[in-house]
Amino acid sequence: LRKKHHQAGLNALFLCVSLFRLKDLEVPKLGDSDVHVKMLAAPINPADINMIQGSYPILSPLPAVGGNEGVGQVLEVGRGVTALKAGDWVIPADAGLGTWRTRAVFPEELLLKVPADVPLLCAATLSVNPCTAFRMLADFERLAPGDSVIQNAANSGVGQAVIQIARASGIRTVNVVRDRPDLPKLVERLMALGADHVVTEEMLRKPEMKDIFKSIPRPRLALNCVGGKSTTEMLRHLQPKGTMVTYGGMAKQPVMVPVSAFIFRDVRLRGFWMTQWRKDHAQDQESVAGMMDAVCRLIRQGQLTAPACTEVPLQDYRAALEASMKPFVSSKQILLL
């Protein structure tokens, strides 16, 4: 069975990489409400891979340019553009922009201005992972300093952001990762980011977990990016009336919840998708600006850094795609454009 899963993974990897071509395209003429952008850097996120595989809720008409996130510099603006000028740094206002390219002309409303004093890799990875972490920590439970959060996939981009944003707010984190050969190095890296505890999925089922909650309260919030057994075991440590938020399903297995968790502990299960949040707040620019300002302020203060990254020239995109789909990935592939 393991061999079949491995072969299926290899087939999916080959198909994903084979679908892409590096191609020269003519840059469209600049319209009055358009912005000519030179892309600087763009990451490869799991959602990008899902879109390529056709398993994501947003699918761009083909042929399409990949990439939902990244940062670019404005080269020129149309006569009707007032909020942006040449030299500004911009990121996508929503998913589906197609950021894996060197230059493009976008309508002004599809872009958000970001401070140019934010480090390049932070700006390139700003609109998805840190914003997802920020919203989940803010929107589901009223957390106060001293409260705790438990999360799986803690070494993911979102997981790393959760650790840092929580630490800046005085919130304790219990971080679950898969066992691996380099586990001590991973634990050391997450602890350096501000993690309070790092445990493996297997440790969730052991009595030693009780020792952790002698020094910190049981979590009121659980963040799930995996599914399957990891989620079920993590849920057992949640406080009564606590909330588990699912924002990913890396194990490709359903979320299994004991009936007793609902009846006797009244836990709440919620879902979160950053793209939907942006759609829901499309007319609420105050909320969007407030979130971006808060995240950028943490970056400037040194309390939030970019996830561990590997910088790859655009012409080496095949190697970057392959690396992003390997198991136990702890470094995000960033295309330099």
Side-chain angles (χ1 to χ4, degrees):
L1 182 61
R2 183 179 297 177
K3 188 174 181 180
K4 286 184 178 179
H5 281 308
H6 178 67
Q7 187 60 48
L10 290 176
N11 291 341
L13 170 61
F14 176 78
L15 177 61
C16 181
V17 175
S18 66
L19 288 173
F20 266 84
R21 299 286 187 276
L22 202 58
K23 188 174 181 179
D24 290 328
L25 299 174
E26 185 177 346
V27 178
K29 183 179 178 182
L30 190 71
D32 288 347
S33 301
D34 291 337
V35 181
H36 185 188
V37 177
K38 178 184 184 299
M39 293 303 300
L40 302 175
I44 299 176
N45 289 318
D48 301 322
I49 301 298
N50 294 152
M51 288 182 73
I52 297 167
Q53 295 169 331
S55 59
Y56 202 66
I58 296 176
L59 299 177
S60 301
L62 298 176
V65 178
N68 290 293
E69 187 180 32
V71 62
Q73 186 174 40
V74 175
L75 297 178
E76 186 182 3
V77 299
R79 291 180 297 179
V81 174
T82 58
L84 297 171
K85 64 181 185 305
D88 285 345
W89 277 20
V90 290
I91 63 174
D94 206 347
L97 194 64
T99 55
W100 299 347
R101 57 175 116 198
T102 55
R103 297 193 181 194
V105 170
F106 300 118
E108 180 186 14
E109 65 268 18
L110 298 185
L111 302 170
L112 292 175
K113 181 180 176 180
V114 295
D117 61 349
V118 170
L120 179 67
L121 295 184
C122 287
T125 56
L126 180 61
S127 62
V128 177
N129 293 336
C131 291
T132 297
F134 183 90
R135 292 261 59 97
M136 291 194 301
L137 288 170
D139 292 352
F140 294 94
E141 287 284 345
R142 290 188 177 182
L143 299 173
D147 286 341
S148 71
V149 172
I150 188 169
Q151 63 165 344
N152 54 24
N155 59 309
S156 67
V158 172
Q160 293 176 56
V162 165
I163 290 171
Q164 295 173 84
I165 296 172
R167 181 62 176 266
S169 302
I171 298 166
R172 317 291 289 275
T173 57
V174 179
N175 302 278
V176 185
V177 298
R178 288 183 295 173
D179 198 5
R180 64 195 66 211
D182 63 343
L183 181 62
K185 289 184 178 179
L186 176 59
V187 171
E188 182 180 359
R189 183 157 63 82
L190 296 182
M191 296 294 283
L193 289 177
D196 292 284
H197 299 278
V198 181
V199 301
T200 63
E201 292 180 340
E202 292 73 20
M203 289 176 64
L204 284 173
R205 296 185 284 274
K206 294 185 177 180
E208 288 82 355
M209 286 297 294
K210 293 181 180 178
D211 294 334
I212 290 177
F213 300 117
K214 290 178 181 178
S215 59
I216 65 174
R218 285 188 175 272
R220 293 171 53 193
L221 179 67
L223 305 178
N224 169 46
C225 186
V226 178
K229 289 183 179 180
S230 171
T231 305
T232 306
E233 296 300 331
M234 187 170 65
L235 189 67
R236 297 185 193 279
H237 301 290
L238 198 62
Q239 278 190 29
K241 299 186 183 294
T243 302
M244 185 174 75
V245 181
T246 293
Y247 68 98
M250 293 170 56
K252 294 181 172 58
Q253 296 173 356
V255 172
M256 304 293 287
V257 181
V259 171
S260 59
F262 287 117
I263 298 174
F264 303 119
R265 293 171 50 229
D266 193 19
V267 299
R268 286 166 287 191
L269 301 188
R270 300 288 303 275
F272 182 77
W273 185 29
M274 192 67 223
T275 298
Q276 187 62 51
W277 187 92
R278 292 187 185 280
K279 288 180 180 178
D280 293 343
H281 293 79
Q283 306 303 319
D284 183 9
Q285 289 306 306
E286 186 176 343
S287 292
V288 176
M291 175 180 65
M292 299 305 296
D293 288 346
V295 172
C296 287
R297 184 168 62 252
L298 289 172
I299 293 172
R300 288 198 197 92
Q301 293 171 347
Q303 295 177 299
L304 178 62
T305 61
C309 294
T310 300
E311 301 173 45
V312 182
L314 178 59
Q315 59 265 29
D316 295 334
Y317 71 94
R318 289 181 181 273
L321 283 170
E322 290 172 1
S324 69
M325 296 182 68
K326 289 180 179 178
F328 303 115
V329 173
S330 293
S331 181
K332 188 178 293 291
Q333 302 292 306
I334 305 285
L335 299 173
L336 300 181
L337 308 168

